[in-house]
Amino acid sequence: MSITRILTSAVLAALAAMSIQAGVLDSVRVDARLGYSIGGTLPTRIGHEIRGINNFNLGLHFTVAAEATLPINERWSVHSGLRYEMGGMDVDSRVKNYDIEVVKGDESLSGIFNGNVRIKSTQRRITLPVQAAYSLSNSVSLRGGLFMGWLTHRRFWGWAYDGYLREGTPVGAKIEMGTEPGDRGDFEFDHNMRIMQWGLDVGADWQFHQRWGLYAELTYGFNGLFKSDFHSVQTLRPMYGTIGISYRIK
């Protein structure tokens, strides 16, 4: 069974469970969606430690979803569903006085680093949006609300290279960092990532055909990628825009 069919069945089952009238599903509209996102898990600000970007690649960000709309009256509706979102990033930057924890060879080190840092991350997320939708016309509608997301796959790793680490403090022992594995400083913070994310989600839909439509979405995460007690990487949040196509199943 395809992911689209599984998600559609889950949405219809949830709406049926909440309904006390057998005929309520007759008015529900169900769409399958495929979208491409621009953005990703980004810093809320660029700190003074970041002196330049050597390379910045957000990778491929795709969304597959089944979403349902339940009309309340002629203008207002409730919109929800399930989304499977995938994305990542690959950032290589020049840093100065960058607080970091790394492993060089068999030795764990922490301190202030000057040089280059490469950060890579991949994520897979199941997301539940809950939105209010307002119809501007028979074919155009706006919607907004909150989302809850659960990471089913989370990875965050990288390395510090071509520079030096001052161990402990800015005047600590100087440790050179090379460019090859074993000579550079590696890090991996998968276990420091949150499993749950939540935030704001707004969008617009244009149904240009009886079956086909286009949509656009903006997403902003309220909580950071990492747990609150983790400080080795600056605050990163889900921030992205999505454009895509929809197909009316019902």
Side-chain angles (χ1 to χ4, degrees):
M1 183 179 291
S2 68
I3 292 177
T4 299
R5 289 184 178 179
I6 293 173
L7 294 177
T8 301
S9 299
V11 172
L12 290 174
L15 290 170
M18 292 186 294
S19 173
I20 59 173
Q21 296 181 359
V24 70
L25 293 181
D26 293 339
S27 61
V28 173
R29 302 187 300 271
V30 179
D31 297 306
R33 298 174 183 261
L34 176 63
Y36 177 75
S37 300
I38 301 171
T41 306
L42 304 173
T44 53
R45 64 176 182 83
I46 302 296
H48 64 275
E49 301 91 351
I50 309 298
R51 296 305 173 94
I53 303 297
N54 300 322
N55 184 58
F56 187 64
N57 182 5
L58 288 174
L60 297 177
H61 291 251
F62 287 103
T63 298
V64 179
E67 302 187 13
T69 304
L70 174 63
I72 303 301
N73 54 40
E74 292 184 358
R75 293 289 186 183
W76 290 97
S77 304
V78 175
H79 183 91
S80 187
L82 286 175
R83 303 171 182 168
Y84 183 70
E85 301 174 306
M86 57 198 83
M89 69 173 183
D90 185 348
V91 181
D92 193 336
S93 56
R94 288 182 287 107
V95 302
K96 185 175 181 180
N97 297 328
Y98 192 83
D99 191 0
I100 197 169
E101 299 177 15
V102 299
V103 174
K104 182 182 180 183
D106 296 326
E107 187 178 9
S108 296
L109 303 168
S110 63
I112 307 301
F113 179 73
N114 295 279
N116 297 279
V117 174
R118 186 169 182 180
I119 294 175
K120 304 181 75 172
S121 177
T122 60
Q123 300 172 50
R124 303 290 184 269
R125 188 175 76 183
I126 295 176
T127 301
L128 171 68
V130 179
Q131 300 173 317
Y134 181 79
S135 298
L136 298 177
S137 66
N138 290 333
S139 58
V140 178
S141 63
L142 304 176
R143 50 189 166 79
L146 301 177
F147 75 87
M148 294 291 296
W150 295 265
L151 291 179
T152 60
H153 168 84
R154 48 181 180 155
R155 283 220 63 203
F156 192 98
W157 77 103
W159 52 88
Y161 70 99
D162 196 17
Y164 63 91
L165 178 83
R166 290 288 187 180
E167 192 171 10
T169 69
V171 295
K174 184 177 181 179
I175 301 172
E176 298 288 342
M177 296 288 178
T179 58
E180 299 300 322
D183 194 34
R184 69 193 185 192
D186 294 289
F187 55 85
E188 180 269 305
F189 299 133
D190 300 358
H191 62 285
N192 299 110
M193 298 171 68
R194 298 179 190 269
I195 295 177
M196 182 175 291
Q197 299 174 341
W198 72 291
L200 178 66
D201 193 67
V202 298
D205 295 279
W206 175 36
Q207 195 73 25
F208 63 84
H209 181 270
Q210 182 180 0
R211 289 291 186 182
W212 295 96
L214 296 173
Y215 75 95
E217 204 110 32
L218 291 174
T219 301
Y220 178 81
F222 289 154
N223 61 345
L225 182 65
F226 294 102
K227 299 173 183 178
S228 57
D229 59 351
F230 180 73
H231 304 291
S232 293
V233 176
Q234 62 180 303
T235 301
L236 302 172
R237 301 179 189 275
M239 293 185 286
Y240 53 90
T242 304
I243 55 175
I245 191 167
S246 63
Y247 178 78
R248 180 63 48 85
I249 297 174
K250 177 183 178 298

